[in-house]
Short mmCIF file of all heavy atoms in Angstrom, two decimals:
data_model
loop_
_atom_site.label_atom_id
_atom_site.label_comp_id
_atom_site.label_asym_id
_atom_site.label_seq_id
_atom_site.Cartn_x
_atom_site.Cartn_y
_atom_site.Cartn_z
N VAL C 219 20.21 65.08 15.30
CA VAL C 219 20.37 65.05 14.01
C VAL C 219 21.27 64.02 13.42
O VAL C 219 21.06 63.28 12.62
CB VAL C 219 20.69 66.42 13.20
CG1 VAL C 219 21.03 66.32 11.71
CG2 VAL C 219 19.58 67.36 13.64
N SER C 222 19.82 60.38 14.15
CA SER C 222 18.65 60.18 13.37
C SER C 222 18.78 60.35 11.90
O SER C 222 19.75 61.05 11.46
CB SER C 222 17.42 60.93 13.82
OG SER C 222 17.27 60.81 15.22
N GLY C 223 17.96 59.73 11.10
CA GLY C 223 18.08 59.98 9.69
C GLY C 223 17.25 61.09 9.36
O GLY C 223 16.38 61.69 10.23
N TYR C 224 17.44 61.76 8.09
CA TYR C 224 16.74 62.95 7.70
C TYR C 224 15.32 62.72 7.46
O TYR C 224 14.50 63.61 7.48
CB TYR C 224 17.44 63.50 6.53
CG TYR C 224 18.77 64.28 6.87
CD1 TYR C 224 19.95 63.40 6.77
CD2 TYR C 224 18.79 65.57 7.18
CE1 TYR C 224 21.16 64.15 7.09
CE2 TYR C 224 20.04 66.12 7.57
CZ TYR C 224 21.24 65.38 7.50
OH TYR C 224 22.35 66.17 7.80
N GLU C 225 14.90 61.45 7.14
CA GLU C 225 13.57 61.18 6.83
C GLU C 225 13.33 59.80 7.39
O GLU C 225 13.94 58.75 7.01
CB GLU C 225 13.51 61.21 5.24
CG GLU C 225 12.01 61.05 4.75
CD GLU C 225 11.90 61.26 3.34
OE1 GLU C 225 12.28 60.31 2.60
OE2 GLU C 225 11.44 62.30 2.80
N ARG C 226 12.20 59.60 8.15
CA ARG C 226 11.87 58.39 8.72
C ARG C 226 10.31 58.06 8.68
O ARG C 226 9.55 59.05 9.00
CB ARG C 226 12.29 58.34 10.24
CG ARG C 226 13.71 58.59 10.52
CD ARG C 226 14.09 58.21 11.84
NE ARG C 226 13.19 58.74 13.03
CZ ARG C 226 13.36 60.00 13.38
NH1 ARG C 226 14.35 60.81 12.95
NH2 ARG C 226 12.50 60.39 14.37
N LEU C 246 5.45 60.38 9.21
CA LEU C 246 6.77 60.82 8.50
C LEU C 246 7.35 61.93 9.48
O LEU C 246 6.75 62.90 9.78
CB LEU C 246 6.41 61.40 7.13
CG LEU C 246 7.65 62.10 6.46
CD1 LEU C 246 8.91 61.17 6.32
CD2 LEU C 246 7.27 62.76 5.23
N ARG C 247 8.61 61.66 9.90
CA ARG C 247 9.40 62.63 10.57
C ARG C 247 10.61 63.00 9.62
O ARG C 247 11.37 62.17 9.25
CB ARG C 247 9.96 61.96 11.81
CG ARG C 247 8.91 61.74 12.82
CD ARG C 247 9.48 61.02 14.08
NE ARG C 247 8.48 60.92 15.08
CZ ARG C 247 7.60 59.88 15.20
NH1 ARG C 247 7.64 58.92 14.38
NH2 ARG C 247 6.71 59.85 16.23
N GLN C 248 10.65 64.39 9.32
CA GLN C 248 11.60 65.00 8.44
C GLN C 248 12.29 66.10 9.09
O GLN C 248 11.78 66.89 9.72
CB GLN C 248 11.01 65.40 7.08
CG GLN C 248 11.96 65.64 6.07
CD GLN C 248 11.27 65.82 4.62
OE1 GLN C 248 10.04 65.44 4.55
NE2 GLN C 248 12.03 66.25 3.69
N LEU C 249 13.71 66.01 8.90
CA LEU C 249 14.50 67.11 9.54
C LEU C 249 14.85 68.18 8.50
O LEU C 249 15.02 67.76 7.27
CB LEU C 249 15.84 66.53 10.02
CG LEU C 249 15.73 65.52 11.20
CD1 LEU C 249 17.05 64.88 11.45
CD2 LEU C 249 14.99 66.08 12.44
N PHE C 250 14.94 69.37 8.87
CA PHE C 250 15.26 70.62 8.05
C PHE C 250 15.94 71.62 8.96
O PHE C 250 15.73 71.69 10.14
CB PHE C 250 14.11 71.06 7.16
CG PHE C 250 13.06 71.91 8.03
CD1 PHE C 250 13.14 73.22 8.22
CD2 PHE C 250 12.09 71.13 8.70
CE1 PHE C 250 12.20 73.95 8.92
CE2 PHE C 250 11.07 71.79 9.48
CZ PHE C 250 11.24 73.22 9.61
N TRP C 257 17.95 73.36 13.62
CA TRP C 257 17.48 72.14 13.16
C TRP C 257 15.89 71.98 13.70
O TRP C 257 15.79 72.15 14.82
CB TRP C 257 18.25 71.00 13.43
CG TRP C 257 19.61 70.89 12.63
CD1 TRP C 257 20.78 71.24 12.91
CD2 TRP C 257 19.59 70.31 11.32
NE1 TRP C 257 21.61 71.11 11.92
CE2 TRP C 257 20.93 70.52 10.91
CE3 TRP C 257 18.70 69.72 10.47
CZ2 TRP C 257 21.27 70.12 9.64
CZ3 TRP C 257 19.08 69.44 9.14
CH2 TRP C 257 20.36 69.45 8.81
#
Side-chain angles (χ1 to χ4, degrees):
V219 174
S222 304
Y224 285 92
E225 189 177 74
R226 305 194 308 277
L246 169 61
R247 292 179 175 86
Q248 189 167 353
L249 299 174
F250 70 95
W257 286 96

